[in-house]
Amino acid sequence: MKVGAAVSPYQHFGFCGCDLPDEPGAQHLIFYEEDLEIAKSIGLDVFRTGVEWALIEPAEGRYDKEAIRLFRQYLADVKSKGFEMWVTLHHFTNPRWVWRRGGWESREVASRFVSYVELVARELGDLIDVAVIFNEPNMYTFLAYIKGDLPPHGFLSIKHMRRAQAVIDEAIAAARDVLKSYGLKATFAHSYSKFESRSPVFKPAVYYLNRQNSKYLEMFREMDYAGVNFYVVGRYDDFALRFVLRPEALLEVKTPRPLAVTEFGVASRNEEFRYRYLCAMANVFKKAKPVVAIWWSLLHGYEWGLGYQPFFALIDVRGTKRLVTPLARRFREILLSPHPCDLGEVEMGLEWRWEPPG
């Protein structure tokens, strides 16, 4: 198993002309040389990062040569450090012009996305080990059409969510074919949460949510890996949805292709708790045998709908200063060495309240 950490386009910069709030974030593209040195020093093998569609295609049908050059230099520098590169092509943000076309309910948008994927494969494909086509399509459509945290800022728009899901699923399949035509390995990252309830009232909701898991797991059949973002188990009881950490739940995930844990982590500044969590996940990984285990996230950054409150990072960011956490210094040792710890099942507490990652 290879170990790594992730950064995302909205940790790279806050000035992308997309539907992201204009915030500087961790400014990873400015300080990435320092970030990479830290990543190497803590023993990471895998670097999951991304390219930004809004920078590469700022106007419909017009590709920015300078942005392509920027990402080529960035990916080449990361690759030169010896990292295995897992590169995300869509991580929640879109060019602003996408909404003039009807957003992800539009097959024209899907077609433009696939053209952008082909451009990335042609111009940057030699620097990519695995292309992660789309990050969490299930969470993206939920945040955009049900919760309203992402454009188009819908609320309980189930009909629109389903339309967008269908178009995104088709775009992922088409993008996979394009990437394979260029000899690239491909997957996408599915946000997997098992849902449970002892109450018959919530059985329909639980059935629907778990059926969504089954649909996306089946989609991996045509991918090189089954990319799973794994965090929590959701439980409907007493007319409330509670989230619990239960690392052993990962062993219940049955995938048709080799498992890649494209994200895992916990939001907490309690270093002792973070250690216990990572130790328990290490035990589970020994049984699940994923090809990679990628921590969310390398850098402290912006989380959709939550700002900078949740802390997942191995490296804290204060302004432009990088602060290596105690967990980061032991990260590789904990994951690759035998540890007899068991987290069991822990409900979210106020001290280290969990919030859904972006």
Side-chain angles (χ1 to χ4, degrees), residues 9 12-13 15-18 29 50-72 74-75 87-90 93-95 97 112-113 115-124 128:
H12 293 174
F13 41 78
F15 325 106
C16 62
C18 62
L29 276 185
V51 297
E52 177 55 60
W53 185 15
L55 277 183
I56 289 177
E57 192 177 2
E60 185 176 3
R62 180 176 68 81
Y63 297 120
D64 189 313
K65 293 181 180 179
E66 181 61 22
I68 296 168
R69 186 206 62 79
L70 179 150
F71 279 111
R72 181 157 190 89
Y74 166 62
L75 295 179
V87 178
T88 307
L89 307 185
H90 187 283
T93 59
N94 301 290
W97 56 261
R112 292 274 7 132
F113 175 73
S115 296
Y116 147 74
V117 170
E118 182 165 17
L119 177 81
V120 171
R122 184 172 65 249
E123 300 291 338
L124 307 174
I128 297 172

Side-chain angles (χ1 to χ4, degrees), residues 228-260:
V228 171
N229 294 355
F230 176 79
Y231 292 95
V232 294
V233 172
R235 180 171 297 150
Y236 284 96
D237 284 315
D238 303 322
F239 294 93
L241 174 61
R242 296 181 175 86
F243 289 107
V244 298
L245 294 171
R246 194 170 77 215
E248 292 285 332
L250 181 63
L251 299 176
E252 301 170 20
V253 183
K254 306 302 179 185
T255 63
R257 303 295 291 161
L259 172 66

Side-chain angles (χ1 to χ4, degrees), residues 99-337:
W99 304 109
R100 293 197 299 272
R101 289 291 189 180
W104 276 100
E105 294 179 76
S106 166
R107 284 184 166 78
E108 292 181 33
V109 167
S111 178
R112 292 274 7 132
F113 175 73
V114 174
S115 296
Y116 147 74
V117 170
E118 182 165 17
L119 177 81
V120 171
R122 184 172 65 249
E123 300 291 338
L124 307 174
D126 59 311
L127 302 172
I128 297 172
D129 292 299
V130 181
V132 182
I133 298 167
F134 207 103
N135 183 70
E136 299 185 350
N138 55 331
M139 283 300 295
Y140 173 82
T141 51
F142 169 76
L143 292 172
Y145 294 96
I146 302 298
K147 195 166 183 284
D149 285 345
L150 296 176
H153 302 295
F155 180 67
L156 293 177
S157 303
I158 294 175
K159 178 177 70 173
H160 296 286
M161 180 187 74
R162 287 177 173 169
R163 286 178 182 169
Q165 283 181 337
V167 172
I168 290 171
D169 292 350
E170 291 173 8
I172 290 172
R176 173 205 64 214
D177 292 344
V178 166
L179 292 164
K180 288 194 173 186
S181 75
Y182 281 85
L184 291 173
K185 293 181 178 179
T187 187
F188 62 96
H190 168 54
S191 177
Y192 180 93
S193 293
K194 179 183 178 182
F195 289 86
E196 305 171 338
S197 178
R198 289 188 293 268
S199 169
V201 175
F202 296 106
K203 291 293 184 181
V206 167
Y207 173 80
Y208 172 78
L209 292 167
N210 287 330
R211 188 178 178 186
Q212 287 283 296
N213 281 329
S214 298
K215 181 193 83 169
Y216 285 107
L217 293 177
E218 181 62 24
M219 284 173 61
F220 287 125
R221 194 170 297 280
E222 302 302 322
M223 300 290 170
D224 292 285
Y225 303 103
V228 171
N229 294 355
F230 176 79
Y231 292 95
V232 294
V233 172
R235 180 171 297 150
Y236 284 96
D237 284 315
D238 303 322
F239 294 93
L241 174 61
R242 296 181 175 86
F243 289 107
V244 298
L245 294 171
R246 194 170 77 215
E248 292 285 332
L250 181 63
L251 299 176
E252 301 170 20
V253 183
K254 306 302 179 185
T255 63
R257 303 295 291 161
L259 172 66
V261 179
T262 39
E263 287 180 23
F264 75 106
V266 66
S268 176
R269 287 189 177 272
N270 182 326
E271 286 294 308
E272 175 59 28
F273 177 77
R274 277 158 48 102
Y275 166 80
R276 288 175 52 216
Y277 167 80
L278 182 58
C279 180
M281 289 301 301
N283 288 340
V284 170
F285 290 152
K286 288 176 178 62
K287 301 173 186 175
K289 295 181 169 48
V291 294
V292 295
I294 301 175
W295 179 270
W296 181 267
S297 58
L298 181 68
L299 302 170
H300 181 43
Y302 178 84
E303 300 286 339
W304 278 107
L306 303 167
Y308 293 89
Q309 175 194 350
F311 182 79
F312 289 89
L314 295 177
I315 303 170
D316 202 356
V317 178
R318 306 286 177 86
T320 61
K321 189 175 182 180
R322 271 58 175 152
L323 303 172
V324 181
T325 65
L327 186 73
R329 300 185 190 281
R330 302 186 64 188
F331 185 74
R332 186 179 183 88
E333 167 205 340
I334 295 168
L335 276 180
L336 299 185
S337 300

Side-chain angles (χ1 to χ4, degrees), residues 18-35:
C18 62
D19 54 27
L20 170 75
D22 289 329
E23 300 187 43
Q27 301 181 79
H28 172 63
L29 276 185
I30 298 174
F31 299 102
Y32 72 81
E33 291 181 351
E34 179 182 356
D35 297 337

